[in-house]
Amino acid sequence: VILIFLGNSAIIKSYKTEDISNTNILSRSSLVITFISGIILLKEKVSIFNVFGVLIIILGIFVIFYERKSYKKSKGFLFALASGIFLGMVAYFIKLTLNYFDLFSYIFIYSIFSVCVLSVIPNTFRDIKPIFIKYKKKIILTRILTALAIVLYVSSIEKGVISIVNSNYETAFLLSTSLIGIGILGEKKN
């Protein structure tokens, strides 16, 4: 929960000073961190295709931020990189935690801890209340789907290779967010 909180806080800070497209690309360094932690810390086996995919991500980050014989580094750049590092370690720690707790115990503890963390942030509940009132039906539906997604994601981490699971999760997340935004919510009408 702490890594997720720090990762999300860093990405929000990054959005304030860096282009959204750059922030999104740089925060995908989380895939590299998950890949490396899976290989080094968990001794997971990878294929040449996995290595090639990670090298393309790293190359893409370098290409995006290369400018006139040097790399541009802004506060947003550093916050997005920090976000990628924090969020990249999440899958590793979930995998470790699942050695001590079963799937549903982990999800229950994670949910309780998340509410505790949110409750110490000033004005959280005051800020959430009008949003919940306005979008009650949509929020209930998304919470049900999120709970299902969490069960599938954590179950996949428990049974699979974290670098592969995390890559698949990131891809599904980006595609589903785009499809829901355009198809269901009617974004990008022009």
Side-chain angles (χ1 to χ4, degrees), residues 23-95:
T23 297
N24 243 348
I25 291 166
L26 192 53
S27 68
R28 293 301 167 249
S29 61
S30 63
L31 297 172
V32 177
I33 301 300
T34 302
F35 183 80
I36 292 169
S37 66
I39 293 171
I40 294 173
L41 302 174
L42 297 173
K43 309 290 187 232
E44 294 179 340
K45 297 193 184 316
V46 294
S47 72
I48 191 71
F49 296 112
N50 302 127
V51 174
F52 184 68
V54 168
L55 291 175
I56 287 176
I57 292 169
I58 294 169
L59 179 64
I61 290 169
F62 282 121
V63 167
I64 295 288
F65 289 95
Y66 186 77
E67 196 173 272
R68 294 191 193 112
K69 298 184 182 182
S70 68
Y71 292 97
K72 62 176 185 173
K73 292 178 236 62
S74 64
K75 279 186 179 180
F77 173 92
L78 297 174
F79 279 122
L81 184 60
S83 172
I85 292 168
F86 292 136
L87 295 175
M89 290 303 297
V90 168
Y92 169 71
F93 283 109
I94 290 173
K95 184 93 170 181

Side-chain angles (χ1 to χ4, degrees), residues 111-131:
S111 300
I112 296 296
F113 195 65
S114 296
V115 170
C116 292
V117 169
L118 285 174
S119 68
V120 298
I121 299 172
N123 304 321
T124 299
F125 293 110
R126 186 197 71 197
D127 293 344
I128 290 174
K129 187 176 180 181
I131 296 168

Side-chain angles (χ1 to χ4, degrees), residues 6 81 85 91 108 157 162 182:
L6 291 173
L81 184 60
I85 292 168
F108 178 76
I157 287 175
I162 63 172
I182 294 167

